[in-house]
Amino acid sequence: MPAACIQQLPWFTMTYGRVKRERGGGTNNTQYVLPLTSPLLSLSLSLSLSLSLSLSLSIRLHPELFQADVDEFCQYYGRRDGGACFPDYQRKPPLRGQESNYLGDEKIEEISRKHKHNCYCAQEVLSGLRQPVAVVHCGDGSQRLFVLEREGVVRILTPDLEVLKEPFLDIHKLVQSSLKGGDERGLLSLAFHPNYKKNGKLYVSYTTNQERWAIGPHDHILRVVEYTVSRKTPNQVDTRTVRVLMEVAELHRKNLGGQLLFGPDGLLHIILGDGMITLDDMEEMDGLSDFTGSVLRVDVDTDSCASSYTIPRDNPYFNSTNQPPEIFAHGLHDPGRCAVDRLQSDNGSLVILCTDASGKNSSAGRILEIAKGKDYEHESSVYDLQASGGAVPVGGFIYRGCQSRRLYGSFVFGDTSGYVSHLLKTEQWQERPLCLGPAGSCGSTLVGHILGFGEDELGEVYILASSKSMAQSHSGKLYKLVDPKRPQVPKECQRPLEPPELLMTACSRHCKNGHCTPTGKCCCSHGWEGPFCRIAKCEPACRHGGVCMEPDTCLCKSGYSGAQCETAERGMPSDQEKDGILDHIIDMTSYLLDLTSYIV
């Protein structure tokens, strides 16, 4: 125990002698020689020193168990310059780049004793965003973050905290959004396929008012689509690869939901709100709102070219005639983001937690644990949230990161007012407010309304906030939740970066006139056939030796014309004189097409 700390202890304020530290025999054993005249006082101090040294040894072996003791001791009995207090626990980082368990120059006195051990820092990572709604990663090892903006743009934030100039996805011309507060329309969610690194598939949900739905009582439609990343660059989506999975007509602009997430089982979950739809609305829409207020579960890993997904056989309504087979659970009202636990439970089941409103037009909230076949109009929640002045609960993530040991396994969430909290499950779920330190201690602090949460590849949690509600305002910010008692990136949490790669599967390289399924099958577009869709198809077939060059387009031999080369031209020479240059070109073209198909 350093003498600097011993001299701070209350029982050393009396002048009974000097503390002398000696090292003998070249060992690291430290002896404290106390020239005291009182035997009783010597015995008392010896016992005190023994207890202190035992505590120091215990903390060295198990620092996470005695973190609070270290803080308390150093706060009241440590050196005023913030130097060493307990062995190996330095209040300021060493000069030569060694790791420290503390942030330098932390102002402990500014954090109240009541919340001292619960406080975290909201570290500002990015600003100038236009109404951000979500932050996701693609799981390819590149550690890129993809920031969704409500108007229909997805931007890439690199590990160096650089925002790429060209957006990853820009569909603002398709997305219908609004500047009015409370209007939830816009780009809603993005989920990357679990095998994204190989197949390049991603899934997007947004609201739109395309012409095909122009007639009817609805206000807009919620569309879920599939895209594929570009073959030329891993930092952009090829928007020509779009495939529509489903469309849901909606009457109102609140309680939309629309979140997409994949579970560890590889199935896509689509979470939809009730859209504030009443029974009268449902009758008026004639069954188009069967999905509202439900969690849908589908399997996108299909070889079928006719359907973009299949129904898992263990869905609760797989064989039902009364409910759509896509429904996994229902009875939700206003799901404010759901989180699936990265770690499966002991019995292999998934844990999905969602924040939700307690009822239609209710200001109170609840947290649900989504289970197969449950109706949450009648099922109890795992935790009920108190009404907080009309603020809507916003779901976050189950923390499985490495930077904070204290937060591990907690469900981090908040509400639109800026309140942040977390649930921790022991025997039951218990809520604990999550204290965020001030800017003086953390360097930045959370400002504005919470719009959403995010997660990176390492499991660390992010918070999206904006001080204004207008979609055109660039006041959105991205914060990272950091435990100030730990290094920002502890050594055991570091992972090597893998540069993003181009798609290299056979389907992605050769399927030019069709699309690849997530499983790698090339599905031909209309008018193409053969391996990897390289052969044009004409229906009806070309006649009189004509060659199908493009879908339903024949190249006719000289002397014939028409869509299928069915018409013979007048005044043509005899058959023996027809073999001209054009005939040879057509024959050679046909041969090359057959040869190319054989090689592929």
Side-chain angles (χ1 to χ4, degrees):
M1 184 173 184
C5 278
I6 296 178
Q7 290 174 347
Q8 299 287 336
L9 295 174
W11 51 80
F12 283 92
T13 55
M14 302 176 64
T15 57
Y16 285 106
R18 293 182 302 169
V19 176
K20 181 180 180 182
R21 184 174 70 179
E22 297 179 352
R23 296 183 182 271
T27 66
N28 291 328
N29 297 325
T30 303
Q31 298 177 348
Y32 299 94
V33 181
L34 306 173
L36 302 176
T37 58
S38 170
L40 180 60
L41 184 57
S42 298
L43 176 61
S44 175
L45 289 173
S46 298
L47 292 174
S48 299
L49 283 174
S50 299
L51 179 61
S52 299
L53 290 174
S54 299
L55 178 61
S56 173
L57 179 60
S58 298
I59 292 174
R60 186 180 300 187
L61 294 176
H62 304 285
E64 68 278 3
L65 300 179
F66 291 90
Q67 188 69 62
D69 300 274
V70 173
D71 288 339
E72 298 247 352
F73 191 93
C74 291
Q75 181 179 358
Y76 295 107
Y77 306 122
R79 288 170 54 179
R80 298 304 181 189
D81 62 358
C85 182
F86 272 72
D88 301 329
Y89 288 86
Q90 296 174 337
R91 304 301 289 178
K92 292 183 178 179
L95 298 178
R96 297 187 179 182
Q98 299 177 0
E99 295 288 340
S100 170
N101 283 341
Y102 295 92
L103 293 180
D105 196 24
E106 183 179 1
K107 299 179 180 179
I108 297 180
E109 62 272 15
E110 293 186 5
I111 304 176
S112 67
R113 288 178 55 84
K114 179 179 179 181
H115 298 295
K116 182 180 67 173
H117 303 303
N118 292 329
C119 279
Y120 296 82
C121 288
Q123 200 171 74
E124 184 176 322
V125 175
L126 183 63
S127 61
L129 297 172
R130 181 176 295 178
Q131 200 75 353
V133 294
V135 177
V136 296
H137 65 86
C138 63
D140 66 348
S142 65
Q143 299 185 25
R144 295 172 294 171
L145 286 177
F146 299 80
V147 184
L148 283 68
E149 295 179 332
R150 186 177 298 279
E151 67 178 358
V153 178
V154 180
R155 304 189 183 278
I156 294 180
L157 178 65
T158 68
D160 298 328
L161 304 183
E162 175 189 0
V163 179
L164 298 186
K165 181 179 180 180
E166 295 295 328
F168 179 68
L169 176 65
D170 186 355
I171 53 173
H172 74 276
K173 293 183 179 180
L174 299 176
V175 174
Q176 183 185 32
S177 58
S178 174
L179 304 180
K180 297 180 179 180
D183 192 329
E184 299 177 7
R185 292 174 303 164
L187 180 61
L188 302 175
S189 185
L190 164 64
F192 289 90
H193 192 281
N195 199 26
Y196 171 78
K197 188 172 183 178
K198 291 186 177 180
N199 62 28
K201 298 295 182 181
L202 56 138
Y203 300 84
V204 177
S205 62
Y206 61 90
T207 57
T208 186
N209 58 349
Q210 294 291 289
E211 292 182 0
R212 60 177 292 189
W213 287 80
I215 301 175
H218 66 279
D219 175 77
H220 62 274
I221 64 170
L222 190 155
R223 178 180 294 163
V224 181
V225 299
E226 175 194 271
Y227 284 111
T228 306
V229 71
S230 172
R231 290 193 293 256
K232 299 179 180 179
T233 171
N235 291 324
Q236 281 188 335
V237 171
D238 185 354
T239 54
R240 297 172 300 176
T241 61
V242 62
R243 284 204 305 162
V244 177
L245 266 70
M246 66 176 61
E247 294 176 330
V248 179
E250 296 183 320
L251 282 175
H252 307 291
R253 302 178 180 183
K254 293 184 178 181
N255 297 13
L256 302 183
Q259 185 190 1
L260 311 176
L261 59 86
F262 281 94
D265 55 3
L267 300 178
L268 177 64
H269 296 73
I270 305 170
I271 295 95
L272 301 175
D274 62 16
M276 302 183 69
I277 292 177
T278 64
L279 291 176
D280 293 337
D281 293 334
M282 295 182 69
E283 293 177 359
E284 181 181 3
M285 297 181 73
D286 192 24
L288 293 178
S289 58
D290 289 345
F291 289 157
T292 57
S294 300
V295 176
L296 312 181
R297 188 176 72 155
V298 298
D299 186 359
V300 295
D301 288 337
T302 173
D303 284 333
S304 173
C305 296
S307 176
S308 54
Y309 66 85
T310 59
I311 308 298
R313 299 188 65 88
D314 61 341
N315 269 16
Y317 303 105
F318 181 77
N319 293 316
S320 174
T321 58
N322 298 323
Q323 294 280 6
E326 291 91 343
I327 291 180
F328 181 72
H330 55 97
L332 280 67
H333 297 292
D334 185 18
R337 303 292 169 182
C338 301
V340 58
D341 197 348
R342 291 186 173 196
L343 299 182
Q344 289 184 323
S345 61
D346 295 336
N347 59 7
S349 62
L350 299 180
V351 175
I352 301 178
L353 295 181
C354 300
T355 55
D356 188 27
S358 298
K360 292 183 182 293
N361 300 319
S362 174
S363 59
R366 58 179 179 170
I367 295 179
L368 306 175
E369 185 171 352
I370 303 300
K372 173 181 173 180
K374 297 293 185 180
D375 180 2
Y376 292 97
E377 286 283 3
H378 310 289
E379 291 287 336
S380 59
S381 59
V382 298
Y383 193 82
D384 291 322
L385 304 172
Q386 299 298 323
S388 56
V392 178
V394 181
F397 287 86
I398 301 173
Y399 182 80
R400 293 297 181 186
C402 179
Q403 196 271 335
S404 175
R405 296 172 180 173
R406 299 182 291 158
L407 205 58
Y408 190 82
S410 298
F411 176 58
V412 181
F413 68 99
D415 63 32
T416 52
S417 69
Y419 172 77
V420 183
S421 185
H422 68 291
L423 287 185
L424 187 62
K425 187 174 184 180
T426 51
E427 295 181 358
Q428 294 180 341
W429 290 97
Q430 295 181 346
E431 181 183 5
R432 297 179 182 178
L434 200 151
C435 168
L436 296 178
S441 300
C442 296
S444 61
T445 188
L446 183 68
V447 177
H449 305 285
I450 293 179
L451 302 177
F453 288 82
E455 184 185 46
D456 63 19
E457 285 191 49
L458 303 181
E460 303 303 327
V461 171
Y462 294 75
I463 304 174
L464 289 164
S466 177
S467 58
K468 298 180 180 180
S469 61
M470 294 180 62
Q472 298 296 330
S473 171
H474 290 76
S475 63
K477 293 185 177 182
L478 174 66
Y479 299 88
K480 183 178 181 180
L481 197 61
V482 175
D483 189 342
K485 296 183 178 181
R486 295 262 291 161
Q488 290 192 22
V489 185
K491 290 183 178 179
E492 64 270 23
C493 305
Q494 297 176 4
R495 300 291 184 273
L497 286 175
E498 300 179 20
E501 301 176 353
L502 294 175
L503 290 180
M504 296 302 294
T505 62
C507 185
S508 62
R509 288 185 288 115
H510 299 299
C511 188
K512 304 298 183 181
N513 301 303
H515 69 270
C516 299
T517 67
T519 57
K521 180 179 179 180
C522 182
C523 295
C524 298
S525 301
H526 174 73
W528 297 94
E529 61 184 358
F532 296 113
C533 310
R534 295 296 185 90
I535 302 175
K537 182 172 59 175
C538 293
E539 294 180 350
C542 301
R543 300 173 59 186
H544 300 111
V547 178
C548 186
M549 299 297 297
E550 294 181 0
D552 298 328
T553 303
C554 295
L555 177 62
C556 301
K557 286 186 176 184
S558 58
Y560 295 95
S561 62
Q564 286 80 40
C565 308
E566 71 280 6
T567 304
E569 297 180 0
R570 296 181 179 180
M572 294 302 299
S574 62
D575 294 339
Q576 289 82 5
E577 300 175 355
K578 288 183 179 179
D579 292 332
I581 297 178
L582 180 60
D583 299 325
H584 289 290
I585 293 175
I586 292 177
D587 293 340
M588 183 60 68
T589 301
S590 179
Y591 170 76
L592 291 176
L593 287 173
D594 293 339
L595 179 62
T596 301
S597 175
Y598 174 77
I599 294 175
V600 173

